[in-house]
Amino acid sequence: MADSPARQRDRSATEASIVEAGEHILLRDGFPGLNVQTLAAQAGCDRKLVYRYFDGVDGVVERIAARACAELVRSLDSVPRVEHEGLRGFARESLTAWVAALRASPLTLRLMAWALVESSPLLNRIESDRSAVLQAWMRERRPRLKTAPGGDAVALNAVLLAAVQHLALSASARPGLGGVALDDDGWARIEAALDRLLVAFPD
């Protein structure tokens, strides 16, 4: 027997409350504070509903991660399209667009920080899904660019990508890193430094 429309609405509202509670706890307390008891208390519902609707905390985290990925997609899609003639300009656009998307998504940064200190099939899947968001955007934006025959542009891009992701993570936890303040002026310095580093890419 199917649920009545009223019951479906109640379930949808409770699910939304639990997911919002999870986001609030994750942003306020970090992942150590996220458990069935705190979710239920924050959402104002019975703990049984967390299991019934999400099969426990992992189901809530999956829903949070999906919403965080959607934030990244919206941020990346808002970047104006530019036709680049070489990899250098495209690499700069990709790196700056990605770090801007990360900085605009505190939930993503919390999930990334969690994955740095704990490994699980769920967190590995979330990391893979996040990476797929950037890879899909990059493939769509550079359909006609080819990797130069000399050097390893892919590995260099991976190193720079790891660097900007670490900077974005650091900015969510401390005011500076390596002598550079992670404020607006500091990010302008970081972008200028990226320009210097990207000379290794063909123009």
Side-chain angles (χ1 to χ4, degrees):
M1 180 175 167
D3 286 343
S4 67
R7 181 170 294 180
Q8 289 176 347
R9 284 195 300 272
D10 287 345
R11 172 168 179 163
S12 295
T14 302
E15 286 184 0
S17 295
I18 292 171
V19 173
E20 288 172 7
E23 293 179 354
H24 180 80
I25 293 166
L26 193 59
L27 292 173
R28 184 191 64 198
D29 304 326
F31 58 89
L34 199 60
N35 55 61
V36 170
Q37 184 171 345
T38 58
L39 280 169
Q42 182 71 40
C45 69
D46 193 293
R47 288 183 296 177
K48 293 178 182 178
L49 296 180
V50 180
Y51 291 106
R52 182 182 302 168
Y53 297 158
F54 297 96
D55 289 329
V57 174
D58 280 4
V60 180
V61 173
E62 283 188 298
R63 189 78 65 86
I64 291 171
R67 289 173 63 154
C69 273
E71 288 180 350
L72 295 177
V73 170
R74 286 192 294 271
S75 182
L76 290 172
D77 285 348
S78 71
V79 177
R81 181 180 292 275
V82 177
E83 293 297 329
H84 297 284
E85 296 182 358
L87 281 174
R88 186 184 304 172
F90 178 71
R92 188 188 194 285
E93 178 192 42
S94 301
L95 290 165
T96 54
W98 186 238
V99 77
L102 293 177
R103 292 178 64 204
S105 179
L107 281 172
T108 295
L109 294 173
R110 285 290 192 177
L111 291 167
M112 289 173 65
W114 189 354
L116 286 175
V117 298
E118 186 177 318
S119 179
S120 72
L122 172 60
L123 292 174
N124 292 341
R125 188 164 64 251
I126 290 171
E127 289 290 297
S128 178
D129 290 346
R130 183 186 310 114
S131 177
V133 167
L134 177 60
Q135 294 302 319
W137 182 82
M138 292 177 69
R139 283 194 302 271
E140 197 270 335
R141 292 282 177 130
R142 63 166 184 86
R144 291 183 294 277
L145 292 179
K146 296 181 179 180
T147 302
D152 193 340
V154 174
L156 179 56
N157 187 66
V159 170
L160 294 174
L161 183 61
V164 297
Q165 288 187 164
H166 182 69
L167 286 164
L169 276 169
S170 296
S172 68
R174 56 186 56 86
L177 181 68
V180 177
L182 295 175
D183 54 14
D184 289 343
D185 290 339
W187 282 106
R189 291 176 63 189
I190 289 165
E191 289 193 17
L194 275 176
D195 287 333
R196 296 289 298 274
L197 292 170
L198 288 171
V199 296
F201 283 87
D203 200 359

